[in-house]
Amino acid sequence: METNAILEGLNPEQSRAVTTIEGPVLIVAGAGSGKTRVLTSRVAYLLEQGCKPWEILALTFTKKAAGEMKERIAMMVGPERARRVVMGTFHSVFIRFLREYAESLGYPKEFTIYDQSDSLSAIKACIKELKLSDNYKPKDIQARISKAKNDLYTPSAYGKSPDFTSIDRIKKTPEMPQIFALYQQKMKNSGVMDFDDILLNMNILLRDNTEALEAISGRFKHVLVDEYQDTNYAQYLILKKLAKNPPHNLCVVGDDSQSIYAFRGAKIQNILNFKKDYPGCKIIRLERNYRSTRNIVDAANSVIAHNEGRIPKKCYSDGEAGEKIHFMRAFNEQEEAMLIVSDIISRTRSEHAQYQDFAILYRTNSQSRALEEYLRRKNLPYMIYSGNSFFDRAEIKDLMAYFKLVVNPNDDESFKRVVNLPARGIGATSISALNECARAHGCSLFKAAWLEDHELYGLRPAAGVKIREFCRMIDSLAALSTKEDAYASAREIADKSGLYAMYKADTSIEGLARVGNLDELLNSVQAYVEEQQSLAEDSDEQALVTLGGFLEDVALLSNADTDDGEDSSNKIALMTVHSAKGLEFPYVYIAGAEENLFPSMSMLASAQDIEEERRLFYVALTRAKKAVSVSYADTRMRNGKHESNSVSRFAREIDDKYVANPLPKREFLDNSDDDDQEPTRFGFGGRFQNRYGRNEYGRSGNVQYFKRQKPAAPAPIQAPRSTTAVRQTNVKPDLIDPNFVAVDMSELYVGERIEHNRFGAGKILEISGMAPDMKAKVDFDKYGVKLLILKYAKLRPEKS
């Protein structure tokens, strides 16, 4: 393909990104700006300029991305040349180099790779061999070793690190260096590496083996990297070494505004500091968005502009203006699901949209439960991306198996699943022997546990004692379930079985997600109890709401036919925002836009954490092509209790000019009692009611829904706890002066005593931001510390 053909159809910035091939280049590619086309065109252009295919190294984060790029390059320059370009994921490419020099690292050339389960088994063996206490949780140890390797710590370096040894003291695991060393030695003896060893050993190879460094770096005249904002410290150092030779032809493509993987070790500083690392580098900005409408792009810009740590750019779209952002306010998560699903149904009818055109995004996996339940009720097809359906997740199946066994102890499949979960020393051999006994007597495993002739089938007395102890626990829980409602029973089962404590002990990211899912299952039981109690009140029935009833309700939902019978891929997408990165949909719903949920409560410790959460919200907005709806709930159930948080700060940061039904202005950023000013519970104001017709989905048409869903005794909505305000009152502030005249924000200064027209006297602690969006942190004498938006707040110097 000729050069002109390669550049055909590219805009000026894209063409410059393709043809600027000398020296270090940073391509800042905004969302939907066509970065994949730029990367593939750049490789094709290099080949047309005479560069040999094997002199080009292109690194990606996924095998799928690498495959798609190779296919596109093959169409441009032919399959033979495309095939010989060195392209793949970081790990797949680096393994090739490691095999060449494996012996210098102490590994055989044919070394194999441990997966997660292999690695975990090896760590368990190390803990057992060292005879360590229960403080050493294998999955926690695995996660900590993984982090150490990604930060390029070997076992000897780990033991000398004050940071790591401090964590070991806090966690009461002082033998961590010994476990790490034994684990590495076992793998070396077995001729294996784990996933993290690939990056660690690649760094060691390039650091310690000058011959290897010169040979590998000398092969490539051009190094290209996709999604550079997602690189970690180990990858950063490897790339510096591979591009060490002048003229340092390293081209990285990424978007700092989409850096959302810090929890996996990604360092946003890698892209922010590229200019410092490579003086004289060329920075090319791809700012034209080809995916979304103007309104979506501008709304996303207005949010991400609040981040200070970013590369300046102004994304734009030349497409149609499109719909404005819609806010959807719900009473609880069940109504939130109803509003979203109802809007999807409406769009499929009015706009002839397909189910696959819709994506529902959320911050945590546990939020999918209410959404899935309502989708099943409406018999709509959906798919959970990067995760299982809520009731198909392993931890949910585990607790559900306990529920089923308590309700029906003769359920053999549930018995086998949980008899040794958590571990009770009942192994597969013992269960096999018990199964033979049950088969001979023609009874269930539970009944066979009480028989006297176990030894005839190979079941040892000690194992029989442990199995009967388990059965006694199930018996006691079954007796309790006849006296307490479903939620009390479920909570008791989760606790007394030890299952909840087992998952709680896993402090890894994955472990925390599993505990969140278990909490959501228990919330589901409580919601079922409240619904049934509400129905009983209406019918004067006071029957106990049982766990058996809940299991039946779930079974009916799970058995609903959600396949449309024609196109199995035509399904509504449900996923976390992290899973949605790189995807696009015509219609996007961002669920749970509430403080302490999005942003996550665990990400409020620092300004950097908040900025990462804001980038995550930006990613959510920019997945949409045509329309975005943002939903939030007045109250959401957590740990079996109703909790309330204010609307997410990120939702409030969307400029009103891009919103169909703006949120009310708040002069301070904590909760206020202006609910009567909020958008209607049915979210879109007139839009929602006009679309469906008030009698169908409006307040008057939804009486039956609220009859079924209303809590028997709703918890009062409370403001979230403030970490700074210690003097709060339930009394609504009065005006201190009916003729109050505020001063201009430019006249205020830190340390000044001021008066507010509602909160009275106080002292300015801090002023931040630039006019006209300046904020002030004020410590009020009666109401504690509040953060005020100065263009809305009314302040004046205190009168002496």
Side-chain angles (χ1 to χ4, degrees), residues 183-196:
Y183 172 65
Q184 289 299 100
Q185 189 58 51
K186 279 182 177 291
M187 286 197 296
K188 263 201 172 180
N189 292 343
S190 300
V192 299
M193 296 184 194
D194 65 18
F195 206 62
D196 301 307

Side-chain angles (χ1 to χ4, degrees), residues 120 128 163-164 248 302 544 767 775:
L120 191 62
K128 185 176 181 180
D163 291 337
F164 285 120
H248 311 295
S302 70
L544 186 69
I767 296 177
K775 303 180 183 71

Side-chain angles (χ1 to χ4, degrees), residues 333 336-337 360-376 382-385 387-393 396 516-517 520 573-576 591 636:
E333 65 265 42
E336 178 184 49
I360 307 174
L361 310 183
Y362 34 77
R363 180 63 180 83
T364 63
N365 273 311
S366 59
Q367 289 173 254
S368 75
R369 191 263 307 168
L371 294 161
E372 288 188 68
E373 287 185 357
Y374 204 79
L375 285 164
R376 288 193 185 103
Y382 69 90
M383 179 179 292
I384 300 285
Y385 282 73
N388 298 322
S389 171
F390 184 82
F391 290 102
D392 287 338
R393 291 167 186 155
I396 300 302
N517 290 333
E520 194 61 22
L574 274 68
M575 68 188 81
T576 64
R636 193 175 295 272

Side-chain angles (χ1 to χ4, degrees), residues 307-542:
N307 273 10
E308 293 183 5
R310 58 189 293 262
I311 298 172
K313 65 178 181 297
K314 181 71 173 179
C315 293
Y316 67 95
S317 170
D318 286 337
E320 61 181 13
E323 288 187 27
K324 292 190 174 185
I325 309 296
H326 295 280
F327 287 120
M328 305 170 73
R329 179 189 177 195
F331 172 65
N332 57 19
E333 65 265 42
Q334 285 81 25
E335 189 182 10
E336 178 184 49
M338 184 273 287
L339 293 172
I340 292 172
V341 173
S342 298
D343 195 58
I344 290 173
I345 293 171
S346 173
R347 286 190 185 274
T348 59
R349 294 171 180 169
S350 64
E351 301 178 28
H352 307 291
Q354 300 294 306
Y355 293 126
Q356 64 194 18
D357 294 337
F358 299 92
I360 307 174
L361 310 183
Y362 34 77
R363 180 63 180 83
T364 63
N365 273 311
S366 59
Q367 289 173 254
S368 75
R369 191 263 307 168
L371 294 161
E372 288 188 68
E373 287 185 357
Y374 204 79
L375 285 164
R376 288 193 185 103
R377 289 177 190 272
K378 292 298 183 182
N379 199 28
L380 297 184
Y382 69 90
M383 179 179 292
I384 300 285
Y385 282 73
S386 295
N388 298 322
S389 171
F390 184 82
F391 290 102
D392 287 338
R393 291 167 186 155
E395 62 274 16
I396 300 302
K397 282 184 171 290
D398 293 339
L399 189 50
M400 289 288 285
Y402 267 110
F403 291 172
K404 292 173 185 176
L405 197 58
V406 166
V407 171
N408 175 21
N410 294 314
D411 184 335
D412 281 355
E413 291 303 313
S414 294
F415 185 99
K416 286 188 286 187
R417 186 177 183 96
V418 299
V419 66
N420 198 42
L421 192 71
R424 299 182 175 89
I426 304 169
T429 302
S430 298
I431 296 302
S432 179
L434 182 64
N435 194 55
E436 289 300 316
C437 180
R439 185 182 301 169
H441 287 274
C443 65
S444 67
L445 292 171
F446 190 90
K447 289 180 179 177
W450 304 104
L451 299 176
E452 300 295 333
D453 58 349
H454 290 160
E455 292 188 32
L456 293 176
Y457 305 96
L459 183 63
R460 295 180 179 181
V465 169
K466 292 175 182 176
I467 291 172
R468 281 192 288 273
E469 286 177 358
F470 169 78
C471 292
R472 288 190 186 96
M473 178 190 70
I474 296 299
D475 261 339
S476 67
L477 290 170
L480 194 67
S481 70
T482 62
K483 302 173 185 175
E484 296 185 348
D485 68 35
Y487 177 74
S489 298
R491 184 79 255 183
E492 199 78 13
I493 292 167
D495 292 336
K496 288 197 171 179
S497 68
L499 189 70
Y500 192 88
M502 180 191 79
Y503 280 113
K504 191 81 171 176
D506 180 5
T507 57
S508 67
I509 295 293
E510 294 80 4
L512 294 173
R514 293 188 187 103
V515 172
N517 290 333
L518 290 177
D519 287 336
E520 194 61 22
L521 176 60
L522 294 172
N523 289 344
S524 179
V525 179
Q526 176 70 341
Y528 170 78
V529 170
E530 292 178 354
E531 176 182 324
Q532 295 302 310
Q533 287 174 343
S534 177
L535 291 173
E537 285 178 5
D538 292 340
S539 61
D540 296 322
E541 295 178 9
Q542 297 299 322

Side-chain angles (χ1 to χ4, degrees), residues 680-682 685-703:
T680 65
R681 183 166 295 158
F682 297 90
R687 171 185 175 270
F688 187 88
Q689 294 177 2
N690 290 341
R691 173 178 289 176
Y692 294 102
R694 189 172 182 82
N695 290 332
E696 185 176 358
Y697 288 98
R699 293 183 184 275
S700 60
N702 215 28
V703 173

Side-chain angles (χ1 to χ4, degrees), residues 673-688:
D673 47 0
D674 59 356
D675 288 340
D676 57 321
Q677 301 175 45
E678 296 269 358
T680 65
R681 183 166 295 158
F682 297 90
F684 303 115
R687 171 185 175 270
F688 187 88

